[in-house]
Amino acid sequence: MAVPRALKLTLRGFAGLIVTIIVLFILMILFFYIGYWSDFSKQKNHLENIREEVQAGIIDSGFHEENYSTFLLDNEIRLNEIQLIASHNSYHKQPDPLRLFFIGLVEPDEPEKMKYSHAPLWDQFNSGVRSIELDLRYKKGKFEVVHVPLVGNRGNSPSFTLALEEIKLWSDTHPGHIPIFVLMELKSDMMALDPLLKDHSVESLGVLDDTIQSVFGREGLLIPDDIRGESVSIQEALQDHGWPLLKDTLGRVVFIMHENAEYREYYLSQTPKLEGRKMFTCGNPGDSDAAFILHNTPNVEEIQELVKAGYIVRTRADSDLIPDAAVVEIALESGAQLLTTDFPPGEPHSESGYTLNFGEGKTIRLNPVKEQ
């Protein structure tokens, strides 16, 4: 039985539409990946350029650590008795409109929160930032720094290893710097957008430690073993002798695993005292391994209690690209040592000109709240 001509045309039209949709989908996926590959290439070139400048003796530090010499070498000031300005999602680059559109389909409020870009890590350190935040995803045995897979994968540091090399190079060329705190958030949401991604595990956390070790070695790091010493636990060490003197930690880099109960359990499963580990963990007050506490919503009374108990606390002075003077004041007064912002020095709010600092552009100061 012959197929009516009208039906043939309809089927051809439908087939053509399907093919067009498939081609457009493939082109869109390529577009998303091209942006990521471009960022990776820029990251490599950026690091190569820095290395060439360092070898040529061209180091424009911008921010001078010696401005704080009045307390850097003080025999009484400990590491937890200072406050630092930290950048939020320090790798972030504003997604293009197409990416924002797809992100908005899943999270309608999210696109407005993602309309910001940070300078490269090197430039942030030069401006006085001493604490950064990286989102890590595990892929093919390595870690990449990505906020949202595929549709939110733009950034200035897509390769975690290259990001580590940039941090290490800056640290090596600026000896005696205030310790740099690197907060790492292990992410596994929206993995369906990239089938090559794997969830974090005991094995992957071991790879993460090895990656840090391979770049920094031992001398450039401040690790849990340095705090615990001969004590039974980190908690007992902080109670017995507290944090080391600031002057004894200068030039070091501190890695911290962002709060996540499941991954923290993986990390502690083989080393409950964090022996030999390269990262500190974030926990709850009283936890044997907890040295760092995340308290993202500023609260003077609650955070001061934690600071006085000897913890290093991270809070957010602003969020969702909305600077609020009252919230900023609470964050500053709270005594939280790591004050995170979307607007670090050199990256002001587009309307108000706000950047987070301690006055006169300073990004480091003695903590107004003391440990008891």
Side-chain angles (χ1 to χ4, degrees):
M1 179 178 174
V3 179
R5 184 170 182 275
L7 180 58
K8 286 183 178 181
L9 293 175
T10 299
L11 292 174
R12 287 176 183 174
F14 182 73
L17 177 62
I18 295 298
V19 170
T20 300
I21 292 174
I22 292 174
V23 170
L24 289 175
F25 178 77
I26 294 173
L27 289 175
M28 183 178 65
I29 298 298
L30 285 174
F31 172 78
F32 289 149
Y33 273 114
I34 286 172
Y36 174 82
W37 293 329
S38 173
D39 289 337
F40 178 72
S41 178
K42 289 178 181 177
Q43 184 185 15
K44 288 182 63 178
N45 292 335
H46 168 69
L47 189 54
E48 290 172 2
N49 291 336
I50 292 173
R51 286 197 176 110
E52 291 176 359
E53 292 180 357
V54 169
Q55 291 175 357
I58 305 172
I59 305 175
D60 180 14
S61 65
F63 182 89
H64 299 286
E65 222 81 0
E66 55 265 29
N67 291 341
Y68 299 90
S69 59
T70 54
F71 66 80
L72 278 184
L73 302 179
D74 193 312
N75 283 321
E76 296 183 359
I77 302 301
R78 296 190 175 273
L79 180 59
N80 61 319
E81 295 178 332
I82 59 174
Q83 278 188 313
L84 308 175
I85 300 300
S87 57
H88 171 242
N89 286 346
S90 310
Y91 60 89
H92 196 265
K93 182 182 291 186
Q94 179 173 323
D96 54 71
L98 183 60
R99 284 177 167 83
L100 289 175
F101 170 75
F102 280 100
I103 292 170
L105 292 179
V106 180
E107 298 285 348
D109 297 331
E110 195 66 19
E112 287 301 314
K113 302 175 185 178
M114 298 181 68
K115 292 182 178 180
Y116 66 98
S117 298
H118 283 309
L121 302 180
W122 185 277
D123 297 341
Q124 292 186 50
F125 296 145
N126 279 348
S127 72
V129 168
R130 290 294 176 271
S131 178
I132 61 173
E133 180 182 21
L134 304 175
D135 290 340
L136 301 188
R137 296 179 184 273
Y138 191 53
K139 185 175 181 179
K140 297 194 292 187
K142 297 182 180 180
F143 291 89
E144 59 181 23
V145 183
V146 169
H147 190 63
V148 180
L150 192 64
V151 296
N153 59 0
R154 301 303 304 272
N156 59 41
S157 303
S159 165
F160 177 59
T161 300
L162 292 183
L164 292 179
E165 292 179 9
E166 185 171 353
I167 299 168
K168 178 68 162 57
L169 185 58
W170 192 94
S171 179
D172 287 347
T173 54
H174 297 78
H177 64 78
I178 292 280
I180 294 173
F181 294 84
V182 183
L183 179 64
M184 299 179 295
E185 183 171 3
L186 308 180
K187 305 197 76 170
S188 59
D189 59 321
M190 300 188 182
M191 290 177 59
L193 294 173
D194 188 341
L196 296 178
L197 289 172
K198 290 187 177 181
D199 198 359
H200 302 283
S201 63
V202 172
E203 178 186 7
S204 73
L205 292 178
V207 173
L208 181 54
D209 260 7
D210 292 342
T211 303
I212 295 171
Q213 173 76 25
S214 68
V215 174
F216 282 88
R218 174 64 179 88
E219 294 303 316
L221 300 174
L222 181 70
I223 64 174
D225 285 343
D226 297 325
I227 305 301
R228 191 185 64 256
E230 299 301 320
S231 299
V232 174
S233 66
I234 296 287
Q235 179 68 205
E236 182 180 287
L238 292 179
Q239 293 174 350
D240 289 347
H241 52 74
W243 291 89
L245 294 173
L246 174 63
K247 70 173 188 175
D248 294 335
T249 65
L250 298 179
R252 304 285 192 92
V253 179
V254 186
F255 287 90
I256 311 157
M257 183 194 299
H258 197 284
E259 187 176 49
N260 183 299
E262 181 180 10
Y263 300 148
R264 175 168 161 255
E265 183 177 341
Y266 291 161
Y267 201 57
L268 294 172
S269 61
Q270 297 176 325
T271 54
K273 298 181 182 179
L274 293 175
E275 52 267 45
R277 290 298 200 178
K278 303 304 179 287
M279 297 184 291
F280 288 89
T281 53
C282 289
N284 299 307
D287 289 341
S288 63
D289 59 301
F292 291 84
I293 303 288
L294 295 189
H295 197 302
N296 286 330
T297 302
N299 180 291
V300 171
E301 183 177 346
E302 293 176 1
I303 294 179
Q304 284 191 359
E305 183 177 346
L306 294 170
V307 171
K308 291 176 181 179
Y311 296 104
I312 290 181
V313 182
R314 182 259 203 169
T315 196
R316 296 186 65 176
D318 53 72
S319 58
D320 300 337
L321 302 182
I322 303 174
D324 185 321
V327 174
V328 171
E329 186 61 31
I330 292 172
L332 293 172
E333 185 182 348
S334 72
Q337 293 90 339
L338 308 180
L339 300 173
T340 302
T341 179
D342 290 324
F343 306 100
E347 301 176 24
H349 184 262
S350 59
E351 296 179 5
S352 67
Y354 154 82
T355 60
L356 182 65
N357 62 80
F358 299 121
E360 300 179 350
K362 291 184 178 181
T363 58
I364 303 168
R365 73 172 181 177
L366 289 174
N367 199 332
V369 179
K370 296 291 185 180
E371 180 181 353
Q372 292 178 339

